[in-house]
Amino acid sequence: MEVLWILVLTFIVILCEINIYTKYCFKDLNFEINLSRNEVFEGDTLILSETISNKKFLPILWLEVQFLVSKNLKFDNSEASSLDDKYYKKDIYSILPYEKLKRKIKLTALKRGYYTINNATLTVGDIFVIYKYLLHMDYSKDLFVYPKLLNGREFNLKFSNIIGELETKKYLLDDPFMLKGIRDYTPYDSLKTVNWLASARTGDLKVNEFNSSSSREVILLLDTQKYTSWDSEDKIEESIRIVASMSAKCIENNVPISIFSNAINELTQSPINVPIQSGKAQLNLIYRNLACINLSNQKLDFLEMIKNLKLAKKDNSLCIVITHDYSKKLIDELLALKRNKLSINLILVKSESETVDLNPEIKTYIWEVNALGR
């Protein structure tokens, strides 16, 4: 008889426990994801923080947290279930009444792109794990992974050869709005540059020193088109890295830059078109556009894009074409632009095994990508 009462009482306790968890398990249970940075470069690491707080008396002894991320974002020591090109990141917690837990996980951005961490799901089990309760959260975090910058000797040499003329003195002027610093006065300085406040403070004559601004500008034309089914994405990704790296170098040297591409921005669903400008804000805009390129969404023909741009003759413009294609049609189009007195340079991204007969009328620089993507 006692055994029967024990079984009855146990059954009642379990029913009450299940009823309580059914009603209150998600009440005042909060979950949040935060990223230490929302913008990183390929290969960079950042910290993802998971914060869970249980603001009630009821303990949550079994809690599974999962959210959807791209396979190009790698977590350290993570349990994951695959879903095509994405996977679910899973973590198990046990949280006491009125407790707050925070876990920091190292995350590595393996590849350029625009990523969203979303589809968060909380799964709670009752004390005896008889039932499980699911809660889907409308929660997301955006991450922009910029192309890796090329800073090696080979790239720096090519950059200097391509736009070295932009750094020559005859094209450089002091920009009165870009103060570099203050230095001692020399007999060759104009009295207009004297900083009277600094001179009075130090007792010596001081002058303002300004950064140089170029009267020339660079136009980058980026080709991301796949011309054949065996066209390698590695070459296109390397082209994107070259554009990012050249943009950074130009901005560093105060050279205004614009970018046009047949690539589609995944966020705006429009072709990449960054008007001429200089400064850090321009560079950040370029980085973000390049991060948002979705190579699986290519709609525009590169040659048609060039024709539609109708690049006018500009004595102060240098047009740099970055492509993995060296077709006769492309060369003919570039020759037409050159005959219109537009200064043209071409960077050809190719594999080590490819051989190309270069047209001597178009100044071409070769950038090789090996079988491992460089």
Side-chain angles (χ1 to χ4, degrees), residues 80-209:
S81 60
S82 179
L83 184 67
D84 297 327
D85 60 338
K86 296 185 178 182
Y87 69 95
Y88 277 104
K89 169 75 172 61
K90 293 183 179 181
D91 290 298
I92 305 295
Y93 293 92
S94 180
I95 184 167
L96 299 176
Y98 303 103
E99 185 179 17
K100 184 177 181 179
L101 300 178
K102 189 170 184 178
R103 178 182 292 181
K104 294 184 177 181
I105 315 167
K106 185 182 289 186
L107 173 64
T108 303
L110 301 179
K111 188 177 179 181
R112 173 204 63 81
Y114 163 69
Y115 302 104
T116 302
I117 298 173
N118 57 9
N119 280 14
T121 301
L122 304 184
T123 304
V124 172
D126 59 62
I127 294 176
F128 302 102
V129 197
I130 298 174
Y131 286 96
K132 291 182 180 180
Y133 309 92
L134 273 70
L135 175 66
H136 295 282
M137 303 183 67
D138 186 16
Y139 192 90
S140 67
K141 285 288 180 179
D142 295 333
L143 177 63
F144 295 88
V145 180
Y146 298 154
K148 183 178 180 180
L149 297 182
L150 308 171
N151 289 312
R153 182 176 179 273
E154 181 184 359
F155 174 78
N156 290 331
L157 182 60
K158 280 184 169 61
F159 176 82
S160 297
N161 289 336
I162 292 171
I163 67 167
E165 61 190 89
L166 296 175
E167 300 171 4
T168 58
K169 291 183 179 179
K170 69 176 182 176
Y171 291 116
L172 294 177
L173 304 169
D174 282 339
D175 189 336
F177 298 103
M178 299 179 66
L179 182 64
K180 182 179 181 181
I182 299 172
R183 60 172 174 79
D184 293 332
Y185 174 82
T186 68
Y188 303 101
D189 291 319
S190 169
L191 288 176
K192 293 180 180 180
T193 63
V194 172
N195 188 316
W196 298 107
L197 185 61
S199 300
R201 187 171 59 250
T202 61
D204 296 318
L205 204 56
K206 300 290 184 178
V207 296
N208 293 323
E209 187 176 15

Side-chain angles (χ1 to χ4, degrees), residues 215-277:
S215 61
R216 302 200 73 185
E217 61 186 44
V218 169
I219 303 170
L220 294 181
L221 303 183
L222 169 64
D223 181 15
T224 61
Q225 183 175 342
K226 284 189 175 183
Y227 294 91
T228 63
S229 57
W230 56 85
D231 268 349
S232 168
E233 278 197 8
D234 290 336
K235 291 190 289 186
I236 300 176
E237 289 292 345
E238 193 72 2
S239 298
I240 296 172
R241 295 186 192 106
I242 291 172
V243 169
S245 305
M246 295 206 71
S247 300
K249 287 287 187 180
C250 286
I251 296 298
E252 180 184 327
N253 288 275
N254 303 312
V255 177
I257 187 169
S258 60
I259 294 180
F260 300 96
S261 176
N262 55 341
I264 301 298
N265 184 313
E266 188 174 354
L267 279 180
T268 64
Q269 290 299 310
S270 59
I272 303 296
N273 184 336
V274 182
I276 191 76
Q277 193 57 264

Side-chain angles (χ1 to χ4, degrees), residues 288-306:
R288 181 160 290 203
N289 271 274
L290 296 178
C292 291
I293 292 176
N294 183 356
L295 294 182
S296 63
N297 181 22
Q298 298 296 289
K299 303 174 183 177
L300 299 180
D301 181 81
F302 188 59
L303 289 180
E304 287 299 317
M305 185 206 77
I306 294 177

